[in-house]
C-alpha cells in the first residue's frame, strides 16, 4: 500500500475516531447533565427529610416528657389511693379471680393479729382456715367446719350477702364483698362494734320500756276496773233512788249523780279497753250476729243527738251483702259507735251516712266487708290525719277544746279492727267532711241475703219525695233492685205535678227543709190520685207517733229505713194488705240537766240596793249545779258563763262584783278570758277580783294562773266554805246583805 493510501486510511481512521470521541463526549455531557439534575433533586429530598426528622425528634422529646409526667402522676395517685386505703379504720383488701390476696390495708391485716402468713399471695380459703385454727373468730354455737363451709359458699356466690362476724376480742365486723371486673373481689371489713353495742342497749331499753308499759297498762286496767265497780254501784243506786218517792229537787240530784256517773263510766270504759289492748289482754268473743241490724242499732242510739242538730242519718247496706257474720258483736258495735259517734259529734249540719258493701271470697265462706262512715262535718286537716289514730291525739288544742272526748276512741277503734285482722283509714277535707272506712274479712254465718219481694205490676211506678240527694239515692237504689220505676221530686210543686201521671206509690220524707211532708201527704190524699199508698219517712218520733200522719200514710218508717222493713211494707202494699204502721223503737233520750237560773234564792230583796253580782264561768252543767247549790243561801245575783267568750261578754254586760273562773273551758280558756278582761280594764282603771277554779292541782300551776291576771285560785272539788269566804271577802258595801 502506498503511503498516500496509508495516509488517507490513517486520516479516515483518525476522523472516525474523532467522530466517535465527539459522540462519546456528547453522551458524557448528557449523562453529566442528568446526573447533575439527580444530584439536585436528591439534595432537596435530603433537606425535606432532615426537616421531618427534626420535627419528629422534637415531638418525641415532648411525648417522652409527657410520659414521664403521666407516670409520675400515676405513681402519685396510686400512692394517694394506697394512703387513703391505709387510713381506713376499717379493713380493706382485694383478691384476684382465683381468690388470692393481692393487697390489704393494715386494718385488714390487723384482724389476723400479725400472723406472718397473711400477706399478698395467700388464698381466701386459707385465711378462713387460719381464722378458725388460730381462734381469731368466735363462731358461737356454729361448729368451725360448718362456719368455714358457710363462708366459702358465700364467697363463691356471684353476689355475696353481707355477713356479721364476731372476733375473739368481742369486736364485730361486717363483711361486705363485692365482685368486680374480671372476677376480682373487693372486701371491706367494717368495725360495727359500737353499733352492735348500741343496738343491744336499745333492745334492752325497749324491752324494759315495754315491760314497764305493760305493767302500767295492767295497773290502769286494774284501776279502771276497781273504779268501775263502785261507779256502777253509784249509777245503779241513783237509778233505784229515782224510782222512789222523791221531791223534784231530790230527783234532780239523783239524776245528776246518774248522768255524771254514766259519763265517767264511758271514760273509764275507754281507758279500760285501751289498757287491756295495750296489755295484750283483750280477747274477742266471736259469735254469729247481724251486721245490718247492728248498724241500724248504732244509728238508732245516736239518732237523738243527730236529730237535735238537724243532721240526717242514713244506712246504705248493699242489697246483695249477707247480713249475718261471725265476729265479736259487742266490739263491732263499739267500732261503729265510736266512728258514728265522732261523725255526729264533729258535724254541725248535713248528714252522716253509713255504707256497707262487700265481696265474698271464692269459696263463699267469708266476705271482705267494706264499711264507710261519711259525714259533712268540720273535717280534719291533712297534716293531722296521720295522728288521729294515735292515743290521746285530738285535732284541737287541749286547753281550747270545743269538743269533749278522751282522745282514745280512734286508737281503740284502730286496735280493735287490727285485732280482727282488718284495717282502718280516713279521707277528709277540712271544712267539707270526713269519711272513715274499715275493711274486715268475716266468716259468713248465714249466706242468705235479704229475700227480695216480687211486687205486682200494679206497684211499679214510685214517686220518691225527698230534698236530700244522699238519702233519696239510697232509697232509690233499693227500689230499683225491686224493678220499680222511679219518679223523683224535691219540692211540693214538683211532687204534685208528678202526681198527675201514673204513680202507684208515694214515698215521702217528712223532715224536708222547705217542704212540709205531712201537708203534702194531705194534698195528695185530697187530689185526683188520692188513693195512692203513701209511705212516710221520718227521723222524728213526734211525726212517727202523730195520729194525723198515721191517718194519712199507709205506713210510717223511721229513718234510716232497714231494707227488710222497707221490703216488708212494700210486699204488704203489693199484696193489697194494709201495712202496719211501723212503730219505732224510740231510743232513750239522754236526760240533760237543766239548771234554772235564779232558782232557790232563799232571800228576797231587802231594800232597793242591788245584790252582789257574781259571774261564774264554768262549762260543766253539773259543776254549775253544784256551785249554785253551794251559794244558794247567799243573797246574791248569780250568772253563769259556759265558756271564756261568754265570761268576757258576761263581764261587760253583767258587771259582776266577783268572778269565779274555771280554767279549762271550751272555745276560750279561763286564763285567756282573764287576760282579755284585764285588757279591757286597763282602759277603765277598774279591777274585778277573779278567783280561778281549777282541777289542775299540780305544782307550778298556781304561778301560771296568777300570772294570767287571776287574783286567787281554788282547786276542785269545790268547797262551800272556801267559796263563801271568797264571796264575803269581796262583797261590796253598797249591796244587800249576803245573809239575813
Ligand atoms: P275524741 O274522744 O276526742 O273524740 P277520738 O280518738 O275518737 O277522740 O278522735 C280523735 C280526734 O280525731 C278527735 O278529737 C277529732 O279531733 C278528730 N276526729 C275524729 N273523728 C272525726 C270526724 N268525723 N270529723 C272531724 N274530726 C274527727
Amino acid at each position: 500500500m502506498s503511503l498516500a493510501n496509508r495516509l488517507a486510511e490513517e486520516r479516515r481512521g483518525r476522523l472516525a475516531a474523532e467522530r466517535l470521541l465527539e459522540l462519546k463526549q456528547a453522551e458524557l455531557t448528557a449523562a453529566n447533565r442528568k446526573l447533575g439534575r439527580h444530584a439536585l433533586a436528591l439534595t432537596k429530598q435530603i433537606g425535606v427529610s432532615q426537616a421531618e426528622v427534626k420535627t419528629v425528634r422534637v415531638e418525641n422529646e415532648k411525648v417522652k416528657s409527657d410520659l414521664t409526667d403521666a407516670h409520675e402522676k400515676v405513681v402519685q395517685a396510686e400512692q394517694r389511693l394506697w394512703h387513703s386505703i391505709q387510713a381506713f379504720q376499717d379493713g380493706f383488701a382485694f383478691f384476684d379471680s382465683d381468690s388470692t390476696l393481692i393487697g390489704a390495708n393494715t386494718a385488714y391485716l390487723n384482724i389476723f393479729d400479725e400472723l406472718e402468713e397473711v400477706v399478698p399471695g395467700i388464698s381466701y380459703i386459707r385465711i378462713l382456715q387460719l381464722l378458725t385454727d388460730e381462734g381469731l373468730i368466735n363462731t358461737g354455737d356454729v361448729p368451725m367446719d360448718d362456719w368455714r363451709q358457710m363462708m366459702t359458699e358465700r364467697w363463691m356466690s356471684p353476689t355475696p350477702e353481707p355477713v356479721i362476724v364476731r372476733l375473739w376480742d368481742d369486736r364485730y365486723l361486717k363483711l361486705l364483698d363485692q365482685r368486680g371486673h374480671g372476677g376480682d373481689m373487693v372486701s371491706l371489713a367494717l368495725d360495727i362494734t359500737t353499733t352492735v353495742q348500741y343496738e343491744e342497749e336499745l333492745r334492752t331499753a325497749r324491752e324494759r320500756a315495754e315491760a314497764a308499759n305493760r305493767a302500767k297498762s295492767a295497773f290502769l286496767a286494774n284501776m279502771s276496773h276497781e273504779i268501775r265497780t263502785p261507779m256502777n254501784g253509784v249509777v245503779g243506786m241513783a237509778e233505784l233512788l229515782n224510782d222512789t218517792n222523791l221531791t223534784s229537787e231530790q230527783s234532780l240530784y239523783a239524776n245528776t249523780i246518774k248522768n255524771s256517773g254514766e259519763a265517767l263510766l264511758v271514760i273509764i270504759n275507754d281507758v279500760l279497753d285501751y289498757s287491756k289492748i295495750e296489755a295484750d289482754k283483750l280477747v274477742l268473743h266471736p259469735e254469729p250476729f247481724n251486721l245490718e241490724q247492728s248498724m241500724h242499732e248504732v244509728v238508732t242510739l245516736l239518732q237523738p243527738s243527730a236529730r237535735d242538730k238537724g243532721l240526717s242519718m242514713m244506712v246504705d247496706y248493699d242489697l246483695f251483702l249477707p247480713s249475718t257474720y261471725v265476729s265479736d258483736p259487742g266490739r263491732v258495735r263499739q267500732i261503729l259507735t265510736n266512728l258514728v259517734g265522732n261523725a255526729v259529734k264533729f258535724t254541725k249540719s248535713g248528714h252522716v251516712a253509713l255504707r256497707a258493701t262487700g265481696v265474698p271470697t271464692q269459696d263463699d265462706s267469708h266476705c271482705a266487708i267494706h264499711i264507710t262512715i261519711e259525714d259533712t262535718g268540720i273535717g280534719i286537716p291533712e297534716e293531722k290525719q296521720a295522728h288521729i289514730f294515735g292515743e290521746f291525739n285530738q285535732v284541737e288544742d287541749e286547753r281550747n277544746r270545743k269538743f269533749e272526748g278522751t282522745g282514745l276512741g280512734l286508737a281503740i277503734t284502730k286496735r280493735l279492727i287490727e285485732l280482727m285482722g282488718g284495717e282502718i283509714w280516713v279521707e277528709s277535707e277540712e271544712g267539707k267532711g270526713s269519711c272513715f272506712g274499715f275493711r274486715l274479712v268475716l266468716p259468713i254465718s248465714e249466706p242468705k241475703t235479704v229475700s227480695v219481694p216480687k211486687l205486682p205490676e200494679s206497684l211499679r211506678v214510685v214517686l220518691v219525695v225527698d230534698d236530700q240527694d244522699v238519702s233519696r239515692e239510697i232509697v232509690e237504689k233499693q227500689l230499683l233492685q225491686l224493678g220499680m220505676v222511679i219518679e223523683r221530686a224535691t219540692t211540693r210543686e214538683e211532687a204534685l205535678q208528678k202526681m198527675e201521671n201514673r204513680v202507684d206509690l208515694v214515698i215521702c220524707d217528712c223532715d224536708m227543709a222547705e217542704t212540709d211532708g205531712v201537708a203534702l201527704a194531705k194534698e195528695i190524699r185530697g187530689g185526683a190520685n188520692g188513693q195512692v199508698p203513701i209511705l212516710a219517712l221520718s227521723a222524728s218520733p213526734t211525726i212517727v207517733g202523730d195520729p194525723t200522719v198515721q191517718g194519712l200514710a199507709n205506713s210510717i218508717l223511721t229513718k234510716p229505713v232497714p231494707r227488710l222493713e222497707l221490703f216488708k211494707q212494700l210486699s204488704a202494699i203489693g199484696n193489697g194488705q194494709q201495712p202496719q204502721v211501723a212503730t219505732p223503737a224510740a231510743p232513750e233520750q239522754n236526760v240533760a240537766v237543766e239548771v234554772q237560773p235564779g232558782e232557790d234564792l232563799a232571800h228576797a230583796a231587802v231594800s232597793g240596793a242591788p245584790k252582789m253580782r257574781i259571774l261564774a264561768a264554768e262549762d260543766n252543767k253539773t259543776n254549775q249545779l253544784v256551785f249554785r247549790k253551794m251559794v244558794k243561801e247567799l243573797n246574791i245575783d248569780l250568772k253563769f258563763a259556759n265558756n271564756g267568750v261568754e265570761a268576757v261578754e258576761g263581764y261587760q254586760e253583767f258587771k259582776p262584783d266577783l268572778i269565779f273562773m274555771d280554767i279549762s273551758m271550751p272555745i276560750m280558756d279561763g286564763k285567756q278570758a282573764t287576760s282579755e278582761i284585764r285588757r279591757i280594764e286597763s282602759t277603765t282603771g277598774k279591777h274585778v277580783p277573779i278567783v280561778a277554779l281549777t282541777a289542775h292541782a299540780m305544782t307550778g300551776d298556781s304561778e301560771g294562773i296568777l300570772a294570767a291576771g287571776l287574783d286567787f285560785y281554788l282547786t276542785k272539788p269545790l268547797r262551800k266554805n272556801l267559796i263563801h269566804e271568797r264571796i264575803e271577802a269581796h262583797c261590796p258595801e253598797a249591796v244587800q246583805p249576803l245573809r239575813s
Side-chain angles (χ1 to χ4, degrees):
M1 188 188 310
S2 67
L3 186 63
N5 281 349
R6 251 199 263 142
L7 277 174
E9 208 171 306
E10 253 179 64
R11 206 178 64 233
R12 275 194 310 269
R14 203 179 64 235
L15 282 174
E18 274 172 1
R19 268 198 310 273
L20 193 68
L21 189 69
E22 266 170 30
L23 203 70
K24 289 295 168 196
Q25 262 178 342
E27 277 178 9
L28 201 70
T29 312
N32 262 345
R33 263 203 304 273
K34 203 173 175 184
L35 216 72
R37 274 202 309 276
H38 270 297
L40 198 69
L42 228 96
T43 316
K44 264 189 201 160
Q45 215 172 334
I46 286 171
V48 171
S49 295
Q50 269 176 342
E52 274 174 6
V53 165
K54 201 171 165 196
T55 321
V56 169
R57 197 174 290 141
V58 170
E59 277 172 3
N60 262 352
E61 292 290 309
K62 187 163 177 334
V63 168
K64 221 192 265 170
S65 114
D66 284 355
L67 261 178
T68 320
D69 281 357
H71 180 70
E72 271 171 18
K73 275 186 192 152
V74 168
V75 170
Q76 220 174 39
E78 202 174 280
Q79 267 174 358
R80 267 204 195 130
L81 186 66
W82 188 242
H83 285 149
S84 309
I85 290 171
Q86 281 292 25
F88 277 0
Q89 298 289 327
D90 300 300
F92 178 88
F94 41 103
F95 295 79
D96 67 12
S97 54
D98 294 331
S99 304
T100 307
L101 180 65
I102 301 170
N105 69 357
T106 316
Y108 191 91
L109 297 176
N110 279 348
I111 298 169
F112 304 95
D113 215 17
E114 295 172 1
L115 269 182
E116 280 171 11
E117 203 183 329
V118 185
V119 283
I122 188 170
S123 79
Y124 186 75
I125 307 302
R126 179 66 189 148
I127 288 180
L128 292 177
Q129 188 75 44
L130 283 173
L131 282 171
T132 48
D133 289 357
E134 299 290 330
L136 294 169
I137 201 90
N138 182 346
T139 60
D141 297 337
V142 183
M144 306 270 184
D145 290 348
D146 292 358
W147 183 82
R148 274 198 310 271
Q149 169 141 12
M150 184 262 291
M151 292 296 283
T152 310
E153 278 167 15
R154 172 187 168 277
W155 181 261
M156 293 304 174
S157 90
T159 49
E161 286 290 313
V163 66
I164 294 173
V165 295
R166 185 175 172 186
L167 298 184
W168 61 278
D169 55 0
D170 272 348
R171 274 190 301 147
Y172 285 86
L173 299 179
K174 184 173 191 173
L175 304 183
L176 301 169
D177 300 301
Q178 175 86 44
R179 212 165 277 290
H181 177 72
D184 284 1
M185 186 80 100
V186 180
S187 292
L188 268 179
L190 306 180
D191 190 334
I192 55 160
T193 313
T194 42
T195 317
V196 170
Q197 279 166 353
Y198 185 60
E199 273 173 8
E200 181 64 33
E201 280 164 22
L202 267 184
R203 201 175 49 244
T204 335
R206 197 182 57 221
E207 275 167 11
R208 241 185 260 140
E210 278 171 358
N213 197 32
R214 273 196 300 278
K216 178 212 74 188
S217 300
F219 168 76
L220 263 179
N222 279 339
M223 276 300 290
S224 313
H225 187 77
E226 292 303 313
I227 299 170
R228 214 161 75 119
T229 319
M231 222 36 238
N232 277 326
V234 172
V235 172
M237 283 298 159
E239 216 164 344
L240 286 179
L241 193 62
N242 237 342
D243 292 340
T244 61
N245 274 340
L246 298 180
T247 64
S248 63
E249 189 179 8
Q250 286 167 336
S251 151
L252 178 66
Y253 290 173
N255 252 330
T256 308
I257 295 173
K258 183 177 150 257
N259 290 338
S260 304
E262 275 170 353
L264 190 58
L265 275 177
V266 170
I267 298 170
I268 293 169
N269 282 347
D270 266 4
V271 175
L272 184 62
D273 273 350
Y274 187 74
S275 330
K276 267 194 189 162
I277 294 173
E278 277 282 281
D280 296 332
K281 283 196 182 146
L282 194 122
V283 186
L284 297 173
H285 301 287
E287 59 180 271
F289 80 108
N290 188 317
L291 176 66
E292 187 184 6
Q293 196 180 327
S294 299
M295 286 172 73
H296 276 277
E297 278 168 7
V298 168
V299 169
T300 311
L301 186 80
L302 293 161
Q303 187 75 272
S305 355
R307 208 175 34 235
D308 288 350
K309 298 167 112 182
L311 300 180
S312 41
M313 295 184 91
M314 39 214 123
V315 178
D316 182 7
Y317 196 93
D318 190 72
L319 190 65
F320 300 106
L321 188 63
S323 302
T324 330
Y325 299 92
V326 178
S327 184
D328 187 326
R331 295 298 177 187
V332 171
R333 211 168 291 138
Q334 185 177 3
I335 292 169
L336 290 168
T337 313
N338 276 345
L339 295 177
V340 182
N342 275 349
V344 172
K345 181 159 81 172
F346 295 106
T347 305
K348 244 193 186 148
S349 61
H351 69 256
V352 172
L354 280 75
R355 297 179 203 275
T357 51
V359 188
T361 47
Q362 266 183 349
D363 60 354
D364 273 345
S365 64
H366 288 65
C367 187
I369 304 163
H370 184 125
I371 295 181
T372 56
I373 293 95
E374 158 200 304
D375 67 51
T376 51
I378 58 171
I380 304 161
E382 208 177 324
E383 70 278 9
K384 305 268 172 129
Q385 288 175 18
H387 308 297
I388 53 167
F389 294 109
E391 47 277 9
F392 311 112
N393 277 334
Q394 295 171 320
V395 173
E396 297 264 316
D397 173 37
E398 199 191 325
R399 290 228 134 186
N400 189 19
R401 283 181 32 217
K402 292 193 197 77
F403 303 98
E404 291 181 344
T406 54
L408 278 177
L410 286 180
I412 294 172
T413 304
K414 179 167 187 275
R415 298 289 195 99
L416 285 177
I417 290 172
E418 283 170 357
L419 220 64
M420 294 176 181
E423 52 174 341
I424 182 169
W425 64 91
V426 63
E427 285 162 19
S428 183
E429 198 177 327
E430 205 177 352
K432 290 238 168 105
S434 312
C435 182
F436 283 80
F438 65 96
R439 205 187 334 261
L440 289 177
V441 179
L442 297 182
I444 301 172
S445 157
E446 217 182 303
K448 263 201 324 236
T449 51
V450 170
S451 59
V452 179
K454 181 110 191 63
L455 299 176
E457 180 51 27
S458 58
L459 191 59
R460 220 166 74 82
V461 184
V462 55
L463 172 64
V464 183
V465 192
D466 192 342
D467 60 353
Q468 267 223 336
D469 290 347
V470 186
S471 64
R472 201 187 52 238
E473 278 159 16
I474 293 173
V475 173
E476 284 181 8
K477 210 164 84 181
Q478 291 171 342
L479 297 172
L480 278 175
Q481 312 273 14
L482 301 177
M484 299 187 95
V485 177
I486 315 277
E487 290 291 336
R488 65 179 69 93
T490 53
T491 61
R492 168 189 165 272
E493 290 70 27
E494 226 181 319
L496 292 176
Q497 195 198 337
K498 293 266 163 88
M499 283 305 293
E500 289 169 12
N501 304 323
R502 173 179 170 182
V503 171
D504 306 326
L505 169 73
V506 177
I507 296 185
C508 179
D509 187 280
C510 296
D511 309 329
M512 285 183 284
E514 307 272 310
T515 307
D516 180 345
V518 182
L520 177 63
K522 212 178 274 173
E523 280 191 77
I524 292 175
R525 280 276 173 262
N529 205 355
Q531 290 314 305
V532 70
I534 299 179
L535 275 187
L537 307 182
S538 178
S540 150
T542 38
I543 290 187
V544 176
D546 186 341
T548 326
V549 189
Q550 288 178 358
L552 283 168
N554 299 60
S555 175
I556 311 170
L557 296 174
T558 28
K559 290 195 300 187
V561 186
R563 32 178 206 167
L564 255 184
E565 191 56 47
L566 179 69
F567 294 166
K568 209 167 90 192
Q569 301 293 334
L570 290 177
S571 301
I573 294 173
N575 294 335
Q577 299 162 3
Q578 182 63 22
Q580 290 169 354
V581 171
T583 37
E588 213 181 288
Q589 293 198 35
N590 285 336
V591 187
V593 180
E594 278 297 327
V595 180
Q596 297 305 319
E599 169 194 28
D600 284 337
L601 279 184
H603 303 281
V606 176
S607 65
K611 294 179 193 172
M612 178 183 184
R613 283 186 302 274
I614 294 179
L615 177 68
E618 168 65 67
D619 63 324
N620 184 293
K621 291 276 188 254
T622 305
N623 285 345
Q624 286 187 6
L625 178 69
V626 172
F627 190 92
R628 183 180 294 285
K629 295 297 170 192
M630 283 182 173
V631 296
K632 75 173 184 184
E633 67 256 37
L634 298 180
N635 184 27
I636 56 168
D637 199 352
L638 176 64
K639 193 176 164 69
F640 282 106
N642 293 307
N643 55 54
V645 173
E646 284 186 20
V648 177
E649 283 167 6
Y651 160 74
Q652 287 173 301
E653 287 158 17
F654 183 56
K655 308 214 181 320
D657 301 308
L658 173 65
I659 301 177
F660 286 94
M661 182 78 84
D662 185 15
I663 294 301
S664 180
M665 278 188 297
I667 307 173
M668 183 190 267
D669 72 24
K671 285 191 196 174
Q672 287 170 307
T674 306
S675 307
E676 185 55 23
I677 292 171
R678 295 294 180 233
R679 194 190 59 74
I680 298 168
E681 282 180 343
S682 65
T683 59
T684 61
K686 291 188 180 150
H687 182 93
V688 62
I690 306 182
V691 181
L693 301 176
T694 170
H696 301 268
M698 310 279 282
T699 18
D701 275 352
S702 56
E703 287 97 296
I705 287 165
L706 300 179
L710 291 130
D711 301 281
F712 305 93
Y713 87 101
L714 300 176
T715 46
K716 290 178 182 176
L718 304 179
R719 299 264 182 283
K720 190 172 163 182
N721 58 341
L722 293 177
I723 288 175
H724 282 209
E725 205 176 88
R726 278 297 114 214
I727 294 175
E728 279 155 15
H730 297 287
C731 184
E733 278 175 9
V735 297
Q736 295 179 23
L738 288 173
R739 298 168 202 275
S740 57

